Each structure stands twice: as structure tokens, then as C-alpha cells.
Amino acid sequence: MTETAGHPLQELVEVVIRFAGDSGDGMQLTGDRFSVSSAIFGNDLSTVPDYPAEIRAPAGTLAGVSAFQIHISDHDILTPGDSPNVLVAMNPAALRANLRDMAAGSTLIVNADAFVDRNLTKAGYDTNPLADGSLTGFTVFEVPMTSLTLEAAKPSGAKSRDAERSKNFFALGLLSWMYSRPADLTLNWIAQRFAKAPTVAEANTLAFKAGYNFGETAELVGGPFTVRPTAFRAGTYTSISGNTALAWGLIAAGQLAKLPVLLASYPITPASDILHELSKRQNFGVRTMQAEDEIAAIGAALGASFGGHLGVTTTSGPGMDLKSETMGLAISLELPLIIVDVQRGGPSTGLPTKTEQADLLMAMYGRHGEAPLPIIAARTPGHCFYAAIEAVRIALKYRTPVILLSDGYLANSAEPWRLPEVHELPDISVDYAAGPNATDADGNPDFLPYLRDPVTMARPWAVPGTPGLEHRMGGLEKADRTGDISYEGANHELMVKARAAKVAGIAADIPPLDLDDPDGDGEVLILGWGSTYGAIVAAVERLRRRGKKVARAHLVHLNPFPAELGEVLARYPRVLVPENNLGQLTALIRAQFLVDARVISKVQGQRFLFSEIEAAVMAVMEAGS
């Protein structure tokens, strides 16, 4: 412990903070700036936002509460934390909506000015929780954020209504002092961000300084604390969200493949940010198109692939429903195509801003006819970058559409990410067909569009307009080798089996299963996929500290499965599968490998907590079944 400006500086190994308020209170911005400061300070971090689906729900109501949680530490972490240590509540609704997640003894910092009768009623309180003794199990700091912000912002000349909007910067300043975040980073950002609105910039600056100074002088909120920087691997780092990482991965894939990229998409939560990010990257040969609907979007992307580009379309579950027919066409044409599904709660419109993993079976089987295609799932925000490159690699090498699964949790959460060196990335360049590949009955050069590579079973990729490579394309079944339209039953079966064998053969060309069983004697295998990764790793670490023999494995490639998966599953008497659905991977595992896999299910629109997985595993182990 050291002294800072007369206050003892207390060192923490980690802390979990949640900012919560009305949708118009700027909580996402507040959390994002705290995250950036923490990342630049050198902490490892993991974040998760939580916001309503309505553009603007009624102010002050539970439905309108928006929150942002950040976990910062001096060591490697993979989750935003289970229960916050600190809740910053800007109004009664924010307190009520989030209090159930707070452990006894945790800290509540509340905007006392907002706890007036009108707001209490809208939040469903009969009495004021700050006065009725209901918060005695917590450490509560009442801070008049609104009135202090209004007073601090007076020199800016901002109107009262505009000045009040700066109270999120007061909260950010207060928390920046409490956890020793560098103030100049935020102040410089405010100056740049609001350079064209000097009055707003001045109001936000004064509010931030007021919050920072309040912490320094009022001595009401504890602290200051510090969380030392993490020992990261050498390199250049940035804080990155899953959607941004995925967009960058698509850019990198286009560069590595030496192909122009076309992203054609229809805006949909939570995938739209990928379109937004790529629309700013035309200098990398990326073209973006906002189509009039989901069907047009995938049609344009497939057309780009036919023309020799890397065609990509992004969507969420409802859009996947609409894209299924064109996915079948892409399978029949055997052209590379990337379909990104950022999963959300369903069915129908469902929970647009909440997360779910319930599109796996749709990805596997959501097309008519026998139409298999490869499926890849990202596991962390940063891994979205590499998952995108891997999806493109497979699509190009095997001439097949590929579904890349992300979800709302990965899309919007963030973590520090080391920018890779170019030499660390794979060469996925591909050659177009350059000339005839056969001769006809008369010995003349001929081009057979479905003459397959003997290793990959991929057909040649012939760019339209290449002399001598004229061929037919369409959704009607094609004859083997020639590509002529064929209604012959035997040929149809041959082509169906060939396409299926091509996808199955990819199992020989993917990394080994990610298996973690240090002593090789695990009594339970926890098998995960997608965004459950961080919670599973944390739960397994806690279980091992309790002396439990637990193994874990995580799937990135979901179709085909890694070649050794069946043999690995057979080693363990119990297999548990945490999924944000009712057991979709579990059903696939049971059917294909005939093992007694059991689901740990959560379908609440929320990510798994590591404590939930830990408790479920303990219940199974203690039951001995």
C-alpha cells in the first residue's frame, strides 16, 4: 500500500464494475471509456454490455435500463465476471434491475438526486431503498451526481438539460479516481470527440473533473485502489469487440487470399456493426452493399463469388431463415461464400439485444435436400478474427459456402487483443481456373466445371469471361464433371454423396481438438462450443482448485467435427455440454457418437456465469451419475 495525494493506495488483483442507468444516460459510452483507459493502463479486461431492444424505452423504467460491466485484473482473464464488486446506479430503476446480481458486502454508488418519488414509483419501489434499510447488506455511497454536475458545468454556458447529460462523465471521473485510471486519456478523448461542439466538450470536461475531484476530496467512496498492469506477451495491443475483430478478420482474409471482398448485408441486430466497420475500409479492396432485404444480400454475395470475389453476408437468426434457399444454391454451385450468423435470442424477433446459441441445428440442417456445409464457431471476441480467416480458408480451398457462428455476447463484448504479425497469418491464396482441364471426344481442349481435385474434391473456380471456360450455372442438378443439367437419379445420388464427402473430408485439414486434461484422468469432460469458452475455462480452474478431476474440450469446427472427437469422448464416463440453448450440440454428439452427453442448459438471453457451470458439474459429480 502506498500513499497518493494523502490517501492510502490499495492494491487489488481484480475488480468487476457495472455502470447502469437509463438508456439516455450514456452507460455504454461510460463503460467503453473506462475500458479503453484500463486497456491503455495495461490491465487485462473483459466487458459485456446489456441494453434494451427498444430504441428508447420509457425513461426511468426497468425496461429502459442499460448497463455495461467490465472486469479488470492484473492477470489473464476470460470473462466479465459473475457478480460485480461495484454497481454505479444512476437512478432507482438501474438499482432495482441490477441489485439481484450483487453479492452481500459489495459496493453501491448511487446518484442520490434521482431517488425522488416520481422515479421511485416508475421503478416499482413503494419506499426509498436508500432510507428503508433494505440495503444494509451493502456498502452504499450516496452521491448527488446530477446537482454536482449541473454546478460544475455552469462555466461552460450549457443549458441545464444539456449539462445534466454530462452526469455520466461525472460518474466516469469518480470511478477513474477510485481505480487510479489515467485522467488525461479521457480528457483528450473528450476534446477530440466533441471538437465541433465546444460547449458540450467543456461541459463534459468539467463534469469529469468534478467527479474525479469529488473522489479526491469528499472521502465518501473509499479508495483509491489500483489494479497493476498484466504481464502481456510483447506486441501491440488494442481493445477489440467480437464484431470488430470479425470484420478485421474478413479484411485480412481478403488480403491473404489476394481477393477483393464484397460484403452484402441487410442491417440486423447484433450483426450490423460488421457492415458498419467494413464500410470504412474501402482502402483494403472491400466493397459493402446494404441490400433491400436478406435474400437480396446473400444473392449479391453469391454473385460476387461467381465473379471471382470473396462474397460475404452477415446476419442474425431471422435473416438466416430467409437466406436458406440461396445457401442451397451456393452448395449446388460449389462456390466459396461466407455466411456470418451473429446469434440472438429467438424465435421470431425474440430478444434482439440478448445472446443465444440456438442456431446450431439450423446451421446444420436448415436447408432443404441433402445440403451439408462447414460450420465454424468463434469462442472469444479476439478469436472472431482468426475464425473469420479459417472460414475463408475452408471456403476457398474446398469451394463451399461456410457458416461462421458468433453471438450477441461475443459481438458486443471486448478484450485486449494483440495485433498479429503478417507472417503469423496463413497463406490462403487461391488460383482461378486458367484454361481447359480436359479434352473432348475429338481431342479438342475442353473445360469440365465439375472435374474435382483428387485431394480436396473441390471443383475449379472459373471466372466468367475467361476464354474457353464457358459453362452453365444454376440451381438444377448438374451432371458429374460436365456440369450439364441432369435429372438422372444415379447422377443426383453421386453428386449428393460427392458434396457430402467433400465436407466430411475437411476433418483431415483442421486443427486437433482443444483438449485440456493435464493428468489424463478426468472424471468428467466439459465439452463446449462458441462463447461458453471463457466461463468453462474459469469453472474448470475453480473445480481443479477444489481437487476435482475435470477435463475440458472446446469445439471451433462443428461440421465436420475434429477427427479424434469420438475417441476423446469415449475416454470419459461423463460428458457435460454447457449451451445457451436446450441442448443442440448435445443432441448431435449423442446421435453421432452414441455417448451419454448431458446438457447444462441456459436460455435466458444471458451468458453463462462460471459459477453456474461449476455448480452444475459439482451436482453431477456429487450425485455419482
Side-chain angles (χ1 to χ4, degrees):
M1 185 178 294
T2 59
E3 295 288 330
T4 300
H7 298 277
L9 185 61
Q10 305 168 63
E11 291 186 4
L12 304 174
V13 297
E14 61 185 347
V15 66
V16 179
I17 302 168
R18 183 180 296 177
F19 299 93
D22 192 68
S23 293
D25 285 339
M27 294 297 94
Q28 304 303 320
L29 175 62
T30 305
D32 178 71
R33 299 322 305 170
F34 193 89
S35 300
V36 170
S37 295
S38 298
I40 294 174
F41 185 76
N43 295 124
D44 196 9
L45 61 90
S46 180
T47 73
V48 61
D50 187 14
Y51 48 89
E54 293 81 0
I55 294 175
R56 185 65 189 272
T61 65
L62 295 180
V65 173
S66 176
F68 188 103
Q69 183 165 309
I70 175 172
H71 181 189
I72 60 175
S73 78
D74 66 2
H75 56 278
D76 182 47
I77 56 174
L78 289 168
T79 78
D82 276 14
S83 178
N85 305 113
V86 179
L87 171 65
V88 180
M90 303 301 287
N91 60 20
L95 176 64
R96 184 166 186 179
N98 291 279
L99 191 62
R100 61 180 178 271
D101 297 331
M102 305 299 296
S106 55
T107 298
L108 308 177
I109 301 174
V110 299
N111 177 16
D113 289 333
F115 282 71
V116 296
D117 290 345
R118 181 170 179 268
N119 289 341
L120 291 167
T121 299
K122 286 196 289 185
Y125 280 115
D126 296 324
T127 59
N128 190 338
L130 302 182
D132 64 9
S134 61
L135 303 179
T136 54
F138 304 95
T139 301
V140 182
F141 296 110
E142 300 179 32
V143 182
M145 297 187 198
T146 302
S147 55
L148 290 175
T149 297
L150 290 172
E151 182 64 27
K154 282 183 178 179
S156 71
K159 296 179 180 179
S160 294
R161 180 181 178 86
D162 295 331
E164 183 180 349
R165 292 173 179 166
S166 298
K167 63 181 179 291
N168 63 319
F169 282 97
F170 182 98
L172 180 57
L174 175 58
L175 270 291
S176 295
W177 175 83
M178 282 185 66
Y179 293 98
S180 308
R181 304 296 92 180
D184 59 325
L185 295 174
T186 300
L187 293 172
N188 290 338
W189 179 86
I190 291 172
Q192 294 174 10
R193 175 65 177 80
F194 300 102
K196 295 182 179 180
T199 300
V200 175
E202 180 68 8
N204 289 338
T205 297
L206 293 171
F208 179 85
K209 290 180 177 179
Y212 198 95
N213 293 333
F214 180 87
E216 179 74 32
T217 60
E219 301 183 5
L220 296 177
V221 292
F225 306 96
T226 188
V227 180
R228 289 187 178 276
T230 308
F232 285 112
R233 174 185 172 189
T236 302
Y237 285 79
T238 186
S239 177
I240 200 166
S241 70
N243 271 349
T244 300
L246 202 154
W248 290 6
L250 293 172
I251 295 170
Q255 296 291 303
L256 295 166
K258 302 178 178 61
L259 293 176
V261 177
L262 173 73
L263 175 75
S265 291
Y266 181 76
I268 185 171
T269 301
S272 297
D273 285 343
I274 302 172
L275 173 62
H276 300 159
E277 177 64 22
L278 286 176
S279 69
K280 299 181 290 185
R281 307 301 176 188
Q282 296 180 13
N283 55 309
F284 289 107
V286 177
R287 297 179 178 88
T288 53
M289 171 184 172
Q290 180 174 317
E292 64 266 31
D293 56 43
E294 297 282 5
I295 301 171
I298 190 172
L302 182 55
S305 294
F306 176 56
H309 288 49
L310 175 57
V312 183
T313 188
T314 54
T315 190
S316 190
M320 285 286 285
D321 296 340
L322 297 170
K323 294 181 189 291
S324 61
E325 182 179 5
T326 307
M327 276 189 266
L329 176 60
I331 291 168
S332 177
L333 300 182
E334 299 191 44
L335 285 171
L337 177 68
I338 304 300
I339 304 105
V340 178
D341 177 10
V342 186
Q343 301 164 96
R344 72 189 206 189
S348 188
T349 306
L351 305 173
T353 62
K354 308 301 181 183
T355 195
E356 203 162 272
Q357 288 182 293
D359 293 352
L360 176 56
L361 292 182
M362 177 169 65
M364 285 287 293
Y365 304 120
R367 295 162 296 282
H368 67 281
E370 294 289 347
L373 50 69
I375 303 169
I376 292 172
R379 65 187 189 186
T380 67
H383 182 250
C384 287
F385 176 86
Y386 297 99
I389 294 176
E390 175 67 355
V392 173
R393 181 189 74 86
I394 290 175
L396 295 177
K397 184 173 181 178
Y398 294 91
R399 309 287 197 271
T400 178
V402 176
I403 291 177
L404 173 55
L405 295 175
S406 178
D407 60 42
Y409 168 40
L410 291 182
N412 296 311
S413 58
E415 64 182 0
W417 181 68
R418 187 182 73 87
L419 275 65
E421 300 292 338
V422 173
H423 67 81
E424 297 172 347
L425 302 176
D427 179 3
I428 59 174
S429 56
V430 62
D431 294 325
Y432 302 127
N437 57 4
T439 56
D440 63 19
D442 298 324
N444 298 314
D446 194 10
F447 177 65
L448 301 177
Y450 283 88
L451 181 64
R452 301 182 182 279
D453 181 282
V455 177
T456 65
M457 297 187 69
R459 75 173 191 85
W461 191 4
V463 177
T466 305
L469 304 189
E470 295 83 1
H471 59 284
R472 295 182 179 88
M473 299 294 282
L476 293 173
E477 185 62 279
K478 302 296 179 292
D480 182 35
R481 295 167 57 89
T482 68
D484 295 334
I485 295 172
S486 174
Y487 296 101
E488 294 294 329
N491 176 78
H492 175 58
E493 183 168 354
L494 174 66
M495 295 296 280
V496 165
K497 289 183 176 179
R499 290 189 289 259
K502 180 175 68 172
V503 172
I506 296 172
D509 190 28
I510 61 178
L513 178 66
D514 175 21
L515 176 65
D516 176 20
D517 188 1
D519 299 320
D521 60 351
E523 298 175 3
V524 173
L525 173 67
I526 304 177
L527 179 67
W529 70 278
S531 63
T532 59
Y533 178 77
I536 289 174
V537 171
V540 167
E541 290 176 352
R542 290 163 62 95
L543 287 162
R544 287 174 179 169
R545 287 197 293 268
R546 298 171 68 173
K548 303 301 178 182
K549 296 180 178 180
V550 181
R552 67 166 182 85
H554 209 81
L555 293 170
V556 171
H557 294 81
L558 294 164
N559 192 41
F561 289 127
E564 70 275 24
L565 179 58
E567 183 272 328
V568 169
L569 293 171
R571 297 181 203 169
Y572 297 94
R574 287 166 288 186
V575 178
L576 301 178
V577 187
E579 299 188 70
N580 285 123
N581 57 52
L582 296 180
Q584 297 189 14
L585 176 62
T586 307
L588 293 173
I589 293 297
R590 291 174 67 93
Q592 183 164 333
F593 300 106
L594 303 180
V595 298
D596 186 21
R598 305 184 187 183
V599 66
I600 301 174
S601 177
K602 182 175 183 179
V603 196
Q604 300 176 15
Q606 300 291 333
R607 63 188 173 92
F608 267 106
L609 307 181
F610 56 75
S611 57
E612 293 171 334
I613 296 176
E614 180 185 14
V617 175
M618 283 297 301
V620 170
M621 297 186 78
E622 290 173 355
S625 60

